[in-house]
Structures are given as structure tokens and as C-alpha cells.
Amino acid sequence: MIEEGSKRGKAMVEKRQLFMEMRAQNFDVIRLSTYRTACKLRFVQKRCNLHLVDVWNMIEAFRDSGLNTLDHNAEINVSRLETILSSIYYQLNKRLPTTHQINVEQSIGLLLNFMVATYDSEGHGKLTVFSMKSMLATMCGGKIVDKLRYIFSQISDSNGVMAFPKFDQFLREVLKLPTAVFEGPSFGYTEHSVRTCFPQQKILLNTFLDILMADPPPQCLVWLPLMHRLANVENVFHPVECSYCRSESMMGFRYRCQQCHGYQLCQSCFWRGHANGPHSNQHQMKEHSSWKSPAKKLSHAISKSLGCVPIGEPPHPVFPEQSEKAQDSMAHTVQPKPVANNMNNTMLMSSGAPTPNKSVLESPSRLDEEHRLIARYAARLAAEAGNSTQCPPTDLSFNFDANKQQRQLIAELENKNRSLREILQEIQRLRLEHEQASQPTPEKAQQNPTLLAELRLLRHRKDELERRMSALQESRRELMVQLEGLMRLLKDEEQKQAQTGGSPHSSPSHGAGCSMPMPIRSTSAGSTPTHTPQDCLAGVGGDVLEAFAQGVPRNLRNDLLVAADSITNTMSSLVKELHSVDDAAEKEDNNMRNGGHGDRAEAE
């Protein structure tokens, strides 16, 4: 009896330990519920060492434990759950170097108590298989697209179409995680959560990924991509001074005000709502997850204007729909053990599963998705060509027409990459030639120092105009984003008026903690909390602000077009002025090359 009492006391201490450590981090001072939830779950993930377990290793552990053969509603007791977690962590220690070994027993105790507190609050001592799969697949390490692919394989039918009751069950389980860290009022489950995520009737894999990885994602899951972005920016350095705490460098996220020029905050100050000077918490902020020097920004703007780089990258690669059907076995998603049969590798690659050369195709250097797609198709075609004489045609998962299309796609992608490299090389060559031609020589200075001084002034003016052009391009892009948001609001308002037949009314708020303006992300991966329609007008002036400020509705579409035209006219005038400066500089260079011959002719 004494031993049983001591075990229960130890279990209670371990159960409270994780939550006490989380409270000690003082996450509740973060004013935005989305960041608060993501930070708490990221702390639990790291404290339990789940961030070291890749999603593919987690799925392999499910298969080795026999969970793939059980029904989703089947229940397992806590002792079997502890055995599964022990297998996961001991396998993790085998993969880690000896200098980075983890405390397995402590990790098992923390994670086991957190899962029991989250999914067995009534104390039955049992968890469903689907609860355990949903929690571990969400909280482990790895890419969010791989996690969502696995989740879709668990909630789709035999035709590769998502089953809404299964997705509703997934939402019930995954939204228990914010509730476990005391954020249930902001991200709790509701009966309307499914339809707010997917208003369509038929959801395939790529549609599922498009919606959940959009910017912003569904409101109930907005914390999920943010948690992954937090993991990606933990070691990102920004050589910029915080305008509030005056820290000379920033780590993690960086936030720039859209109204106050040069006002930037570190993530700690922004999360806590600090502001000084003319800046206000009501101003719209943009979230930055990386740092680019002014030279890189100018080069990127020039490349974008010339069409050398795409304006927007897809949030995820496009997967074949037929290979993502509901998977009763883990063979289609789990990284297989190395085998000698090349045909097995070929079939695994055709199903979209990672093969033994996964480390080559997805190296830590984070190659471009386009390059990885080329490499994946090239490996698939090479494996198919090597085994075409050994395997009957009926064993292949794709026909010759598909192979022809794949080869054409590879050729097109290679041609685009080759053209891009040639254009960038030509731009670099022209830039070097211009810099060399712009360097003054002693002979020219001795011939006519007045012309040289004027030329320097012209070049200085040209540099100022280029910087101004870059700033206007950035402002134009941001304004166009705001204009698009206003157009969507206008369309929604018109639809509401058409449905109700009444006067326009204010839209409901987006949830607790969302009444204040939210930051806009500068990258395409992930999302941030949404903002109210009134905050969308921050930083927008002219006809757009006037149109939305009037009490009587008017033709807002024309007002937005007028605002866009004014921006375009400003850019055109700036380009003309820049060209005029270039012509003047060229004329001065020609005069200097003539060596004063024009002056002697005038004197004669």
C-alpha cells in the first residue's frame, strides 16, 4: 500500500510538473491568443523532445506498434501507450549522437501525463487510437505538409476524397491541444468548425492542403502553421535595432509598422503590446521571418520587374490525387527500410512515399521545390527505365503517356531554370560594366573637374531615385494587397445586402483577442491572426479611404481603380525621371571622353 501511494504521488508530481514549468515561462503576457497558443504548444513540444522525432519516424512507430491494423475508435490502455512512447524515444536515442542523448524516462513521463490530462480528463485510463495518432502526428517534428498528408490519409475514403465525419472527429481531437494549455475559449471546438473550414462538398488532397496552408488558414487552426513558423525562426538573426527596447539585434520574428517610417519591433515587444513615440498598437504591422539587405531587395525588385522570378510561390507541391487514397497500411507513407529490389523502390516512388534516397532529395540545404520536383521525376524515370525490362507492364503504376508528360515537364522546367540563370548572369555582367564605366579616371579629372563634379551629382541623384523607386515598389505591392482585401470586403458586403435586402451592417469579430489589428505576414508559408475590416484601411488614403468613410454607399470598385491608377502614374513619372538622369549622365560621360574638344571649337 505504501508503494502504491508513493507511485500515485510521483505520478501527480509529474503530471503537474510540465504545466508548472509552462506557467513559469509567463506566456500569458502575450496579448494575441494565436501567438500565445503557439508558444505554449511549442514549449510542450520541446520540453517533451517531440521536436526531435520526425513525422516519418512517428508513422513508422505507429506501424511497428500495430496501430495501423486497429480501428480509429479502438481504445488502448495507458500501459500500452507508455510502451509505444518508450519505443519512440529509445529509437530516437539510437539515431542521435552520443553527445546529444535525451533523458528517455523523463520524456516518457512528461508526454504520457500531458496526453492523459488532455485526452483522458475523466480518468478512465484509456485513449482512442485516433486521439493518440492525431496528437503525436501534430506535435512531432517535421514539415507541416507531410503531417497534413498523413492526416488526410487517415480521414479520406477509398476514392481519395475527404470524409467530413472523419475530419470533424479530427477537429475534436486536435482542438483539445489548445484547451489543454488553457486556450480553449479562443480555439475550442464548435459544431460549425467543419463547414467554416471546407464549404465545398468534395475535398481532395491538394484542396485540403490549399485550405489548411493558406494565408490565413481556417480560424480554428490558425495556431498550427504559426507553431511551425516559430520553430523555423528561432535562430533567425535580424541586424536591426528594436524601436522600443533598443536591442541592437533581433532573434525570431521582426515586425515593421506600415504607418510609422522605420519603426520596427522585436517579437518580445510586439507580443506584449509595447509602443512608444507616435506609434500605436492600433497601427498595422507586418511580420518578417528573414532579413534582406537593401542591395538584395533592389536586386529582387529588378528581377521581379523583368519577370525573372515568380511573383508568388505555391505553398506546397502538387501531389497526384490517385496516390493519396485512404491508407489502411503505412507502406504508402512510412519511409521503407533499405531493400535490394529496385522494383520496390520504383513502386514506392510512384506512390509518393519517401524512398531510401530521401536524404538526397530533401537535404538540409532546403533546395527549391522546383528543383526537388525535377530531381524526383528524374529519379523516377531513371528507375523505371532500369526496370522496364524486368517487370511486366501491368505492374507499373503509370503508362507511357504519363511518362511522356513527365519528360515534357522536366524539359520545360530545365529550360526555365536555364533561361533564369542566363538572365541573372547578363544582369550581373551589365551591372559590372556600368560600375566600371562609372569609375572616374585621373585623366578625366584633370581634363575637366567641373564636368566630373556634375556627373557625381547626377549619379547621386540617380541612386536616390533608385532607392525611392524600390521603396515605391514595396509600397505599391503593400497597397495592392490592401486593395485586394478591400475588394473582398466590398464583394462580401454586396452579397450580404443582396441576400438581406437591408442596409450594410458591421461584420462579427473574429474571436477572442482578435479585436485589435493583426500583423500581415511577408512570407507565404503559414499565417497570422486576421484583422478587422477597419484595420484594413490603415495606411490607405485618397479615394479608397474617402469611399469607405462616407455614410452613403458609392461605387467603391471605381474608387479602387482610381487609387491603383494614381499609384501607377507615380511609378511612371519616377521611371521617366530616372531615365532623364541616365541620359544626362551619358551626355556628361561623352563630353568627358571628347576631352574638351567642344570647348575649343566654341572658342574658335
Side-chain angles (χ1 to χ4, degrees):
M1 295 294 294
I2 297 177
E3 293 181 357
E4 292 181 358
S6 62
K7 290 182 179 179
R8 291 178 181 176
K10 182 180 179 181
M12 291 297 295
V13 171
E14 291 178 348
K15 182 177 180 180
R16 297 175 181 176
Q17 178 182 354
L18 183 63
F19 294 100
M20 291 174 63
E21 292 180 359
M22 184 178 66
R23 284 194 178 98
Q25 299 296 319
N26 201 20
F27 290 124
D28 290 330
V29 300
I30 301 176
R31 63 190 181 106
L32 301 177
S33 60
T34 305
Y35 286 94
R36 194 167 57 243
T37 305
C39 288
K40 290 180 178 180
L41 292 177
R42 175 62 177 167
F43 172 79
V44 174
Q45 182 190 48
K46 295 180 67 176
R47 189 65 182 86
C48 297
N49 290 312
L50 278 176
H51 67 296
L52 302 176
V53 184
D54 190 81
V55 61
W56 300 110
N57 300 122
M58 188 65 72
I59 300 173
E60 187 175 7
F62 295 160
R63 181 191 62 183
D64 295 339
S65 302
L67 297 181
N68 59 310
T69 60
L70 299 178
D71 186 76
H72 282 174
N73 296 323
E75 293 183 341
I76 59 175
N77 54 32
V78 176
S79 60
R80 184 176 180 184
L81 174 60
E82 185 175 2
T83 303
I84 295 173
L85 297 182
S86 301
S87 174
I88 292 173
Y89 283 115
Y90 279 114
Q91 290 296 326
L92 172 62
N93 257 354
K94 291 180 180 180
R95 295 189 298 269
L96 294 176
T98 56
T99 57
H100 293 76
Q101 298 286 300
I102 65 171
N103 189 335
V104 175
E105 297 298 331
Q106 184 185 42
S107 300
I108 294 173
L110 292 174
L111 181 57
L112 180 64
N113 288 309
F114 179 76
M115 294 182 66
V116 170
T118 303
Y119 294 100
D120 187 30
S121 57
E122 298 181 358
H124 298 300
K126 294 182 179 180
L127 279 76
T128 64
V129 172
F130 191 66
S131 297
M132 190 188 67
K133 284 184 176 181
S134 301
M135 185 273 177
L136 293 178
T138 302
M139 293 294 292
C140 68
K143 299 180 179 179
I144 186 174
V145 63
D146 295 331
K147 295 181 181 181
L148 295 177
R149 286 181 63 194
Y150 171 71
I151 291 170
F152 184 84
S153 70
Q154 301 298 302
I155 62 176
S156 57
D157 56 19
S158 58
N159 296 321
V161 180
M162 188 190 76
F164 279 90
K166 292 183 179 180
F167 179 72
D168 181 74
Q169 185 182 4
F170 166 73
L171 280 184
R172 290 176 184 269
E173 302 300 336
V174 78
L175 291 180
K176 290 180 181 178
L177 293 173
T179 304
V181 293
F182 315 107
E183 295 295 335
S186 299
F187 300 105
Y189 172 81
T190 62
E191 297 179 355
H192 305 287
S193 299
V194 176
R195 288 301 173 185
T196 57
C197 295
F198 300 104
Q200 301 92 336
Q201 295 297 326
K202 184 178 180 181
I203 303 298
L204 300 177
L205 171 63
N206 291 313
T207 307
F208 181 79
L209 296 177
D210 288 339
I211 293 177
L212 293 190
M213 298 182 66
D215 184 11
Q219 179 64 25
C220 60
L221 295 174
V222 70
W223 52 269
L224 180 58
L226 178 57
M227 185 177 69
H228 287 78
R229 297 207 316 275
L230 281 173
N232 294 332
V233 302
E234 283 182 348
N235 298 320
V236 174
F237 175 76
H238 304 269
V240 182
E241 181 183 18
C242 177
S243 299
Y244 183 84
C245 66
R246 300 303 176 184
S247 175
E248 296 183 356
S249 60
M250 301 183 189
M251 295 294 293
F253 287 120
R254 172 172 56 91
Y255 298 90
R256 184 165 59 88
C257 181
Q258 302 297 288
Q259 298 183 26
C260 305
H261 177 70
Y263 192 91
Q264 303 190 73
L265 293 176
C266 62
Q267 67 177 21
S268 177
C269 293
F270 175 76
W271 289 354
R272 286 156 176 79
H274 293 162
N276 59 348
H279 178 70
S280 170
N281 288 332
Q282 301 300 321
H283 290 181
Q284 196 172 11
M285 304 289 286
K286 177 185 287 187
E287 177 187 286
H288 294 270
S289 57
S290 62
W291 163 257
K292 289 184 180 180
S293 62
K296 288 185 179 180
K297 290 182 180 179
L298 178 59
S299 176
H300 184 75
I302 294 175
S303 300
K304 183 186 295 185
S305 63
L306 295 176
C308 300
V309 294
I311 297 177
E313 299 179 357
H316 64 85
V318 179
F319 298 99
E321 302 291 354
Q322 64 272 15
S323 65
E324 297 293 340
K325 298 178 181 179
Q327 299 162 355
D328 298 329
S329 173
M330 297 296 152
H332 293 283
T333 56
V334 179
Q335 180 177 352
K337 292 181 172 56
V339 292
N341 190 354
N342 292 332
M343 185 58 197
N344 292 338
N345 295 343
T346 304
M347 297 303 293
L348 286 170
M349 284 188 291
S350 66
S351 65
T355 59
N357 63 346
K358 178 177 180 290
S359 60
V360 177
L361 298 182
E362 296 183 2
S363 60
S365 59
R366 295 182 180 272
L367 295 176
D368 187 79
E369 290 294 340
E370 189 177 18
H371 295 170
R372 271 189 274 176
L373 181 62
I374 294 174
R376 189 178 296 115
Y377 278 134
R380 183 187 299 179
L381 293 175
E384 178 193 359
N387 294 277
S388 59
T389 58
Q390 301 177 6
C391 304
T394 57
D395 293 336
L396 296 177
S397 61
F398 39 84
N399 52 26
F400 293 102
D401 294 336
N403 296 336
K404 183 177 180 181
Q405 295 177 358
Q406 292 168 1
R407 293 189 183 95
Q408 292 177 353
L409 177 60
I410 293 173
E412 292 176 0
L413 293 176
E414 290 178 347
N415 290 332
K416 289 182 180 179
N417 289 335
R418 191 180 302 110
S419 301
L420 175 60
R421 287 194 297 269
E422 292 176 356
I423 293 174
L424 292 178
Q425 291 175 359
E426 182 66 18
I427 291 175
Q428 186 66 19
R429 185 185 63 81
L430 294 175
R431 186 181 298 161
L432 292 175
E433 291 181 356
H434 178 70
E435 291 178 355
Q436 293 176 359
S438 300
Q439 293 294 333
T441 59
E443 293 80 4
K444 293 181 180 180
Q446 294 176 0
Q447 291 174 1
N448 199 333
T450 304
L451 292 177
L452 181 59
E454 294 178 356
L455 182 60
R456 288 177 178 173
L457 292 175
L458 289 174
R459 286 171 183 156
H460 180 69
R461 176 60 176 167
K462 178 184 177 182
D463 294 338
E464 292 179 352
L465 291 175
E466 288 178 347
R467 288 192 295 269
R468 182 182 173 191
M469 181 178 181
S470 177
L472 286 176
Q473 287 178 342
E474 181 69 13
S475 300
R476 180 190 180 190
R477 186 183 68 80
E478 296 169 1
L479 287 175
M480 294 307 296
V481 170
Q482 294 179 348
L483 290 175
E484 291 176 359
L486 293 175
M487 290 295 293
R488 287 195 297 269
L489 291 175
L490 174 61
K491 186 178 296 182
D492 294 341
E493 186 67 22
E494 291 176 352
Q495 292 178 355
K496 290 179 180 179
Q497 294 183 15
Q499 293 175 0
T500 59
S503 60
H505 55 275
S506 59
S507 59
S509 61
H510 294 284
C514 296
S515 61
M516 55 191 64
M518 302 297 164
I520 301 175
R521 284 208 312 117
S522 62
T523 57
S524 58
S527 73
T528 55
T530 58
H531 53 274
T532 59
Q534 290 81 2
D535 295 328
C536 295
L537 298 176
V540 178
D543 296 330
V544 177
L545 182 60
E546 179 183 355
F548 276 89
Q550 291 181 359
V552 181
R554 49 180 292 190
N555 192 347
L556 300 181
R557 191 183 307 274
N558 294 335
D559 295 334
L560 295 177
L561 293 177
V562 171
D565 290 339
S566 64
I567 296 173
T568 305
N569 294 334
T570 304
M571 293 294 298
S572 300
S573 62
L574 180 60
V575 171
K576 291 179 180 180
E577 186 175 1
L578 181 61
H579 288 171
S580 64
V581 173
D582 287 337
D583 294 338
E586 183 178 1
K587 182 181 295 184
E588 295 294 341
D589 284 333
N590 293 333
N591 293 335
M592 293 175 65
R593 292 192 188 97
N594 293 332
H597 293 297
D599 295 338
R600 288 194 298 269
E602 183 179 357
E604 291 176 0

